[in-house]
């Protein structure tokens, strides 16, 4: 797994004014939280963060080196986006404990195009992520599921997914990840209107004579 590293500096100024000053210096204000709730305020170079941000997922481990002394393995847990500047304006990192099992969710990405879909079938997607348990170093960034050989009316379930050694899937094994179905044929539209009921006798028709 490719190592992703960010160098950071510990922040001493807080509040909106300090954050704005940080951004003017082309640095992103951020916070690292650990499992106990302890937080460390940092800032990282905008250019380095943006380059990294485009290539990672919520389950990508990033090494953050703070002041060249402290080192954390983190996920990008949350971020704030400024639509005016078209940039991330703040990021929250979550630090994991090395050597301790963690539970998290991993994105599922479908790969390939089923032959049946080229014959009119439809590829339907199921769940979009898996919940897993593993050591931080064993955590994959995403799960790739190949649907190339999926035939009509076939499905891939969680139980069919292969994950790297050391990773345990916690999601229900019977849930579907992808399925191929043919669209139901619509009932043919009626070409003729239903025959009208027998017309009532004209109002001016002569009534039968009464018998004497």
């Amino acid at each position: 797994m490719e190592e992703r590293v960010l160098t950071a500096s510990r922040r001493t100024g807080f509040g909106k004014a300090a954050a704005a000053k940080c951004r003017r210096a082309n640095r992103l204000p951020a916070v690292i939280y650990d499992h106990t709730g302890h937080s460390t305020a940092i800032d990282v170079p905008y250019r380095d963060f943006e380059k990294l941000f485009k290539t990672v997922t919520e389950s990508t481990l990033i090494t953050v080196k703070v002041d060249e002394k402290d080192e954390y393995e983190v996920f990008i847990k949350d971020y704030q986006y400024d639509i005016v500047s078209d940039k991330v304006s703040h990021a929250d990192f979550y630090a994991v404990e090395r050597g301790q099992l963690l539970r998290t969710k991993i994105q599922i990405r479908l790969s390939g195009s089923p032959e049946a879909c080229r014959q009119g079938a439809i590829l339907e997607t199921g769940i979009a992520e898996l919940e897993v348990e593993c050591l931080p170093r064993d955590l994959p960034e995403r799960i790739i599921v190949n649907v190339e050989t999926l035939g009509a009316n076939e499905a891939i379930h969680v139980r069919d997914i292969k994950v790297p050694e050391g990773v345990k899937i916690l999601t229900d094994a019977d849930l579907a990840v992808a399925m191929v179905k043919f669209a139901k044929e619509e009932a043919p539209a009626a070409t003729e209107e239903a025959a009208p009921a027998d017309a009532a006798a004209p109002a001016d028709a002569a009534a039968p004579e009464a018998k004497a």
Side-chain angles (χ1 to χ4, degrees):
M1 183 169 59
E2 179 186 353
E3 185 180 14
R4 292 175 167 85
V5 180
L6 278 176
T7 57
S9 299
R10 197 177 299 269
R11 277 192 294 141
T12 55
F14 302 94
K16 292 183 178 180
K21 182 179 179 181
C22 184
R23 296 184 188 104
R24 287 196 297 270
N26 289 320
R27 298 185 70 83
L28 175 71
V31 177
I32 298 175
Y33 296 95
D34 63 18
H35 68 285
T36 66
H38 176 74
S39 62
T40 302
I42 62 170
D43 59 60
V44 298
Y46 255 125
R47 181 178 296 180
D48 294 347
F49 177 84
E50 288 182 335
K51 182 179 179 181
L52 189 70
F53 189 66
K54 295 176 181 178
T55 64
V56 301
T57 69
E58 291 183 358
S59 56
T60 301
L61 273 178
I62 302 167
T63 299
V64 177
K65 297 180 178 180
V66 181
D67 294 333
E68 299 297 332
K69 295 186 298 183
D70 300 320
E71 191 171 296
Y72 302 85
E73 285 186 334
V74 306
F75 301 120
I76 298 177
K77 195 66 175 178
D78 198 7
Y79 63 91
Q80 297 173 12
Y81 190 79
D82 187 342
I83 60 174
V84 176
S85 65
D86 193 27
K87 288 183 176 181
V88 175
S89 59
H90 187 277
D92 289 339
F93 298 105
Y94 177 75
V96 301
E97 292 183 88
R98 293 178 178 176
Q100 297 294 320
L101 290 173
L102 63 87
R103 289 188 177 189
T104 188
K105 293 182 178 180
I106 308 176
Q107 292 180 0
I108 297 173
R109 177 177 294 178
L110 303 184
S111 172
S113 176
E115 176 65 30
C117 290
R118 294 190 281 274
Q119 300 172 359
I122 297 174
L123 176 65
E124 296 184 357
T125 58
I127 61 172
E129 56 188 16
L130 289 180
E131 185 175 4
V132 300
E133 181 181 74
C134 64
L135 293 172
R137 67 171 182 269
D138 296 328
L139 184 66
E141 292 185 22
R142 59 180 62 85
I143 298 294
I144 306 297
V145 177
N146 193 317
V147 297
E148 193 80 35
T149 60
L150 202 57
N153 299 318
E154 292 181 348
I156 295 176
H157 297 86
V158 171
R159 60 176 173 269
D160 303 317
I161 296 178
K162 305 299 181 184
V163 292
E165 186 177 353
V167 179
K168 178 182 179 182
I169 297 177
L170 303 178
T171 302
D172 186 345
D174 293 327
L175 292 178
V177 174
M179 61 217 80
V180 172
K181 295 181 178 180
F182 278 99
K184 294 181 180 179
E185 295 182 1
E186 296 183 0
T191 55
E192 296 182 2
E193 295 182 359
D198 292 340
D204 59 350
E209 295 181 357
K211 292 183 180 180

